[in-house]
Amino acid sequence: MNKETGADGKKPADKKSKILFSVCLVVLIVVIVVAVGYACKRFRKSQRDEDLTQSVTVDVSAEDDEEQENDPEDEPDVVIPVDFEALQEVNPDIYAWIHIEDTNIDYPILQSEADDDYYLDHTVDGDEGLPGSIYTQYSYNSGCFEDNVTVIYGHNMRDDSYFGQLSEYQDEDFRSSHSVIEIYTPEHIYTYRLVFAITYDNSHLLAGYDCNEPDQYEDLLNVLQKNRTIPTWIEDPFTVTTDDKLIILSTCNGNSSQRYLVGAVLEQIDVEDAGLGESSADEQTES
């Protein structure tokens, strides 16, 4: 018998090659199964988000048309374009909704009283894992957008869902056509105007600055203008003062030591009450 062959007449090298091939094949099959499973899970979550949006959307245009027919000279009443009663049945932690026209950013905002970061890795219906939810932190924000600065968190998803499109604010055309950010609550529509889109460090803004104190709020405004890195954009001149209210959309950017922040200043508050009509942001702040 040839010393280079085994009892079965095959060379050891051939056996090793077949074993290696078999192992690689098994690994490849496992990878494919896991990838398909992940893709299916992401698709189901995406479909759930879409179904939720469709199920709670109110047809505002139809109500406006009906009011105009009744009295063409009357200004249409303010109508909240999402059904918060339906949202509360899905999850009572839903307290607001963020909307940026002609983008994928059209989601409920949640807040957990028990765990500030619960919705970092839990979806609207409580499933653990990505993409999490859009959320604020109970320890730092009241949940009624009366704080001087409200920070809203969301994942930077590769499929442009959640806060995946925020990086597009570095493009001038995108900024000019998507400069309005709306926040809906059960009784109000808050309209904000874009004022910055900056790369910043990963420090917790509201833990470092109590923005309900004017001097600390001013310190934060100064730091945001000075301590930023590329890519970045900020309005010039920067007109935000401590008399203004800000929302800051915060997401990751692929660098663990940085965050990408999009800031917008409150310009108007509309109240869903035909008797009150609409009020400016300044009037609401002073009252």
Side-chain angles (χ1 to χ4, degrees), residues 260-278:
Y260 189 70
L261 309 177
V262 171
V265 63
L266 180 63
E267 294 224 310
Q268 181 172 310
I269 303 175
D270 293 327
V271 182
E272 189 182 41
D273 188 319
L276 292 178
E278 60 182 47

Side-chain angles (χ1 to χ4, degrees), residues 6-223:
D8 56 0
K10 296 182 179 179
K11 295 182 179 180
D14 292 340
K15 290 183 178 180
K16 290 181 180 179
S17 297
K18 286 188 175 181
I19 292 173
L20 182 60
F21 175 78
S22 299
V23 170
C24 292
L25 182 61
V26 170
V27 171
L28 178 61
I29 292 173
V30 170
V31 170
I32 292 174
V33 170
V34 171
V36 170
Y38 178 76
C40 290
K41 186 177 180 180
R42 287 292 308 281
F43 175 78
R44 287 195 299 270
K45 288 183 177 180
S46 176
Q47 191 62 49
R48 265 198 314 247
D49 290 337
E50 186 176 337
D51 292 343
L52 176 64
T53 301
Q54 291 179 354
S55 66
V56 300
T57 300
V58 176
D59 188 355
V60 177
S61 60
E63 297 191 26
D64 288 346
D65 291 342
E66 183 178 348
E67 290 173 2
Q68 289 295 312
E69 289 178 4
N70 294 335
D71 191 343
E73 296 184 0
D74 282 353
E75 288 291 329
D77 291 337
V78 175
V79 179
I80 306 300
V82 293
D83 183 350
F84 277 94
E85 288 187 8
L87 286 171
Q88 288 283 305
E89 292 179 3
V90 174
N91 188 331
D93 284 344
I94 298 173
Y95 76 96
W97 190 283
I98 184 170
H99 174 77
I100 303 178
E101 191 71 20
D102 294 326
T103 73
N104 295 330
I105 302 175
D106 194 26
Y107 295 101
I109 303 175
L110 296 91
Q111 183 168 276
S112 169
E113 295 186 9
D115 181 354
D116 276 343
D117 291 324
Y118 178 80
Y119 289 108
L120 173 68
D121 56 7
H122 286 81
T123 62
V124 170
D125 40 16
D127 289 345
E128 188 172 1
L130 292 176
S133 302
I134 305 298
Y135 70 99
T136 56
Q137 295 182 318
Y138 177 75
S139 297
Y140 300 97
N141 285 127
S142 61
C144 58
F145 295 92
E146 292 182 357
D147 300 312
N148 284 334
V149 178
T150 298
V151 179
I152 306 172
Y153 298 92
H155 282 295
N156 178 10
M157 302 303 293
R158 292 181 180 179
D159 62 359
D160 284 346
S161 61
Y162 290 80
F163 279 174
Q165 284 187 285
L166 289 186
S167 60
E168 295 187 40
Y169 276 108
Q170 290 305 314
D171 180 78
E172 184 177 356
D173 291 338
F174 186 89
R175 283 199 305 271
S176 62
S177 57
H178 302 89
S179 61
V180 174
I181 301 175
E182 291 182 316
I183 301 290
Y184 310 138
T185 66
E187 296 179 349
H188 299 88
I189 297 178
Y190 298 88
T191 303
Y192 297 82
R193 174 180 56 82
L194 179 74
V195 290
F196 63 77
I198 65 175
T199 302
Y200 195 71
D201 65 42
N202 66 351
S203 60
H204 193 293
L205 294 178
L206 298 184
Y209 299 91
D210 180 0
C211 292
N212 292 317
E213 297 294 330
D215 57 336
Q216 294 193 47
Y217 185 15
E218 185 170 6
D219 287 343
L220 175 62
L221 293 176
N222 290 333
V223 165

